Amino acid sequence: MKADQRHATLKLMSGYIIDNLRDPRFEVTPAFVMTEMQNLHGLDIGYHKVWCAIQRASALIRGSSEENYELLSSYLYMMKSKKSGTYTNIKIDDNNRFLYMFYVYGSSIAGWNHCRPVIAVDATFLKSKYCGVLMISVSKDANNQIFPLAFGIAESENNNSYEWYFSELRNAIGSRDNLIFLSDRHQSIAHGIAKVYPESHHGIYIYHLEQNLKRRKVKSEVIKLFQSAARVYRRKEFDLYMSDIAKVDKKNFDYLMEEPPEKWARSCSPRQRYDMLITNIVESMNSVLLEARELPILRMMDFIQVKLQR
């Protein structure tokens, strides 16, 4: 027999959900709450009602998405006041609505001069109410550790958002001799780098080319030859491996050569890539910040700060 769920008001359910939201052991989804209410209280609560209760509880703890955006300017002002040398900026449209946001901590600006002249760039999708993407730039320090540089938020990965992001990056940390950017094959990243950092070199990680080859269902022999070609230090060896690929699979040889070898092959790169050839180090940062993607913007920035301090 179903218990009367009319007594399970949003206020009552939110009070129950809050404790779970504060506990990192629980992933508070509508399905989780529906099961808990059934097991503990014998209540069959509808999905929509549970979802509304979760949103209400989340807003009580973290503030609503709207409140977070309203306080963003004040938050960035306090960030600059408390953290010496920090650079921030917000871009709004003609209707005074949020478009982009960018920030670099003062410690990152100071530390950049002691890092290798390599910047890896990527973005990850946000899952809060207004979605968007979190743009991240990282480098590597002299101890070969990932060094966070800059963060930005935009509605999507497009030419305008990346051009603005790289302009702000240049305003914050400038440029350096022999600078190289590394990313996946996203055309908007390439556009932004070419417009704002024309003196730099833009390379791509071979991981993405390798994954594309696998999706094209090429022979394992071709993939191994490609891996060897990308890793060798001498151009002569690179040419030998690519010649072998052409003999085995001319179609995929042509596909690989659509992307200039200067972008992905170690022996052809005009700039030193150090050991950042295969793995996208920004993906490591993205995995660290995985939980933050569902938070309102200010709570997400708090989460990032805590992670960086640790």
Side-chain angles (χ1 to χ4, degrees):
M1 181 176 180
K2 289 187 177 180
D4 189 353
Q5 63 164 298
R6 288 176 297 175
H7 299 297
T9 62
L10 289 180
K11 181 178 179 180
L12 181 69
M13 292 175 61
S14 297
Y16 167 77
I17 293 168
I18 279 177
D19 291 334
N20 288 286
L21 280 174
R22 289 185 173 131
D23 191 333
R25 295 176 300 172
F26 295 106
E27 181 182 2
V28 182
T29 63
F32 168 79
V33 176
M34 291 166 68
T35 300
E36 288 289 288
M37 297 303 287
Q38 174 62 48
N39 292 341
L40 297 177
H41 307 291
L43 296 173
D44 291 326
I45 312 295
Y47 182 95
H48 179 70
K49 189 173 185 178
V50 171
W51 184 87
C52 290
I54 292 174
Q55 300 309 305
R56 188 178 191 277
S58 179
L60 288 171
I61 296 174
R62 302 158 179 159
S64 67
S65 294
E66 292 79 6
E67 290 169 342
N68 272 249
Y69 277 102
E70 287 175 5
L71 294 171
L72 180 58
S73 294
S74 300
Y75 183 100
L76 294 178
Y77 173 80
M78 293 304 298
M79 180 191 291
K80 289 191 287 186
S81 299
K82 298 294 183 180
K83 300 183 182 301
S84 177
T86 293
Y87 177 94
T88 71
N89 201 5
I90 297 177
K91 183 176 177 63
I92 57 176
D93 65 13
D94 295 336
N95 296 315
N96 203 36
R97 294 179 299 188
F98 174 88
L99 277 180
Y100 314 129
M101 187 269 288
F102 176 92
Y103 70 98
V104 184
Y105 289 115
S107 54
S108 293
I109 295 174
W112 161 238
N113 291 320
H114 306 284
C115 289
R116 297 165 179 175
V118 183
I119 299 177
V121 182
D122 201 1
T124 184
F125 290 103
L126 300 177
K127 297 182 178 181
S128 56
K129 181 176 180 179
Y130 294 107
C131 298
V133 292
L134 173 66
M135 299 167 166
I136 303 174
S137 294
V138 301
S139 185
K140 275 196 173 183
D141 61 22
N143 198 36
N144 206 35
Q145 303 296 310
I146 296 175
F147 187 86
L149 280 178
F151 300 90
I153 292 176
E155 81 284 6
S156 66
E157 293 185 274
N158 57 58
N159 287 356
N160 291 335
S161 62
Y162 268 117
E163 188 173 338
W164 187 85
Y165 176 84
F166 284 115
S167 294
E168 293 304 307
L169 183 67
R170 183 154 199 150
N171 290 339
I173 68 172
S175 186
R176 283 172 58 182
D177 292 338
N178 300 314
L179 178 62
I180 180 172
F181 284 92
L182 297 175
S183 72
D184 58 21
R185 302 177 71 192
H186 201 291
Q187 292 303 308
S188 292
I189 296 179
H191 168 84
I193 293 170
K195 292 281 286 187
V196 182
Y197 282 95
E199 77 282 5
S200 70
H201 176 66
H202 178 212
I204 61 175
Y205 290 102
I206 68 169
Y207 170 80
H208 299 283
L209 284 175
E210 184 177 316
Q211 292 302 112
N212 287 346
L213 288 176
K214 290 179 179 178
R215 280 191 284 270
R216 292 165 69 94
K217 296 182 170 32
V218 304
K219 300 176 182 177
S220 59
E221 178 186 358
V222 172
I223 293 178
K224 290 178 181 178
L225 287 169
F226 162 72
Q227 292 171 337
S228 298
R231 288 175 172 83
V232 294
Y233 288 89
R234 296 193 301 171
R235 182 61 186 257
K236 184 177 180 180
E237 293 178 73
F238 168 81
D239 291 337
L240 287 173
Y241 281 116
M242 293 305 293
S243 175
D244 288 341
I245 292 176
K247 293 174 184 176
V248 176
D249 191 338
K250 183 63 167 58
K251 182 178 179 180
N252 281 296
F253 168 84
D254 293 338
Y255 166 74
L256 288 173
M257 296 304 287
E258 288 175 6
E259 201 71 65
E262 290 77 13
K263 286 195 169 189
W264 53 270
R266 195 202 308 263
S267 61
C268 303
S269 176
R271 304 279 172 87
Q272 174 62 263
R273 290 179 60 146
Y274 300 89
D275 63 341
M276 289 186 273
L277 183 72
I278 303 162
T279 310
N280 187 346
I281 59 173
V282 191
E283 290 177 358
S284 299
M285 181 62 67
N286 285 342
S287 66
V288 170
L289 304 179
L290 198 61
E291 297 174 51
R293 297 190 301 162
E294 300 185 12
L295 301 176
I297 187 169
L298 299 188
R299 302 291 77 80
M300 179 186 72
M301 294 170 70
D302 286 340
F303 185 97
I304 292 172
Q305 180 177 318
V306 170
K307 286 292 185 181
L308 297 189
Q309 288 174 339
R310 288 178 180 173

